[in-house]
């Protein structure tokens, strides 16, 4: 991943002397501007640079986010930016490098989205995780290697509230009960459930990663 500031180069200590205005990773580019006119100039420069090497900016995949609160107009009603006949529209949020990004930052939706991704991963390997002939050790290691990183992707940036922790815990317990082929009629405390599966606790792991 490259962090660039137009017209400046890193100092001897490798730290950029001014605020970052560009985040570039492969074909994903983020521009950070302090005003709408500045953003328009940056987009124009990007489009001109792309055209010189035969590339083109895809307006339908380019979203504008703003943290400006000086107007009461809804985000989706704000006037798009028009450059070279292309329209760039404001959005409430967008997917960037695998995470959901919105301004102001709201990790609640991102956490819910990661839990959904975890269930999608479960659909692919769930038959292994609750197979009666597969040992507990293999099922536990598979869960920790496949489901856990899917759910906790980007958790280092999360601000976990009590409600977020509860959502993660509930989702994990549902998966653990499926691993053991339990129904809601099967009474089992959370402590005994964790002892039976032996998997890593999502909330504790997210907190640990946050503190690293």
């Amino acid at each position: 991943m490259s962090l660039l500031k137009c017209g400046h180069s890193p100092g001897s200590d490798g730290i950029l002397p001014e605020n970052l205005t560009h985040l570039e990773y492969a074909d994903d580019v983020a521009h950070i501007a302090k005003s709408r006119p500045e953003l328009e100039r940056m987009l124009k420069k990007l489009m001109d640079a792309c055209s010189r090497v035969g590339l083109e900016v895809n307006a339908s995949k380019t979203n504008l986010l703003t943290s400006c609160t000086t107007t009461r107009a809804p985000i989706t009603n704000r006037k798009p930016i028009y450059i070279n006949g292309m329209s760039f529209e404001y959005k409430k949020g967008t997917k960037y490098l695998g995470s959901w990004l919105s301004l102001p930052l709201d990790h609640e939706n991102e956490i819910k989205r990661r839990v959904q991704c975890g269930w999608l991963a479960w659909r692919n390997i769930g038959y292994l995780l609750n197979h009666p002939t597969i040992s507990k050790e293999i099922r536990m290691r598979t869960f920790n290697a496949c489901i856990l990183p899917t759910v906790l992707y980007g958790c280092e940036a999360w601000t976990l509230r009590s409600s977020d922790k509860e959502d993660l815990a509930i989702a994990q317990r549902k998966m653990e009960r499926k691993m053991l082929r339990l129904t809601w009629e099967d009474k089992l405390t959370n402590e005994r459930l964790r002892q039976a599966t032996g998997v890593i606790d999502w909330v504790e792991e997210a907190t640990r990663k946050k503190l690293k």
Side-chain angles (χ1 to χ4, degrees):
M1 183 174 184
S2 60
L3 304 179
L4 306 177
K5 174 72 172 74
C6 280
H8 298 274
S9 59
S12 59
D13 56 0
I15 299 177
L16 294 171
E18 297 187 27
N19 293 334
L20 294 175
T21 59
H22 296 64
L23 296 176
E24 300 183 359
Y25 183 86
D27 60 346
D28 288 311
V29 179
H31 287 286
I32 305 172
K34 295 181 179 179
S35 65
R36 181 186 175 102
E38 181 183 4
L39 180 58
E40 291 179 359
R41 291 193 297 270
M42 294 168 69
L43 283 172
K44 182 66 167 59
K45 288 182 178 180
L46 175 65
M47 295 175 69
D48 291 343
C50 288
S51 64
R52 287 196 294 269
V53 293
L55 299 177
E56 184 177 299
V57 175
N58 190 329
S60 64
K61 294 183 178 180
T62 302
N63 298 320
L64 306 182
L65 305 181
T66 180
S67 59
C68 177
T69 58
T70 57
T71 176
R72 295 183 179 180
I75 296 296
T76 53
N77 289 347
R78 297 194 179 186
K79 185 178 179 180
I81 290 178
Y82 295 96
I83 301 177
N84 297 342
M86 301 176 69
S87 173
F88 300 92
E89 300 182 351
Y90 284 92
K91 302 291 184 180
K92 294 182 179 179
T94 186
K95 186 178 179 181
Y96 183 66
L97 299 181
S99 297
W100 184 256
L101 178 63
S102 61
L103 295 175
L105 293 176
D106 180 10
H107 295 128
E108 180 181 3
N109 290 331
E110 169 62 5
I111 292 172
K112 290 180 178 179
R113 198 178 71 86
R114 295 316 311 175
V115 170
Q116 291 176 350
C117 291
W119 280 113
L120 289 176
W122 175 277
R123 292 179 185 177
N124 293 328
I125 62 173
Y127 69 96
L128 295 175
L129 295 174
N130 63 8
H131 200 287
T133 63
I134 297 179
S135 69
K136 169 187 172 180
E137 177 69 17
I138 293 178
R139 287 184 287 134
M140 176 193 69
R141 294 175 65 176
T142 302
F143 185 93
N144 290 337
C146 299
I147 306 297
L148 182 146
T150 299
V151 174
L152 298 187
Y153 177 82
C155 67
E156 296 85 352
W158 295 351
T159 299
L160 287 174
R161 300 169 299 183
S162 297
S163 58
D164 299 325
K165 294 179 180 180
E166 184 64 18
D167 289 342
L168 287 171
I170 290 174
Q172 182 171 11
R173 286 197 294 268
K174 287 182 178 179
M175 291 188 184
E176 289 180 87
R177 294 183 71 88
K178 283 182 173 292
M179 288 179 66
L180 300 178
R181 293 176 171 268
L182 298 177
T183 67
W184 291 113
E185 296 178 352
D186 298 314
K187 304 300 181 181
L188 197 66
T189 64
N190 295 338
E191 291 75 15
R192 291 186 60 188
L193 180 65
R194 183 56 46 79
Q195 290 176 358
T197 60
V199 298
I200 296 174
D201 185 274
W202 290 352
V203 175
E204 292 180 359
E205 183 67 6
T207 303
R208 185 187 69 81
K209 288 179 174 290
K210 178 75 174 180
L211 296 176
K212 286 182 64 176

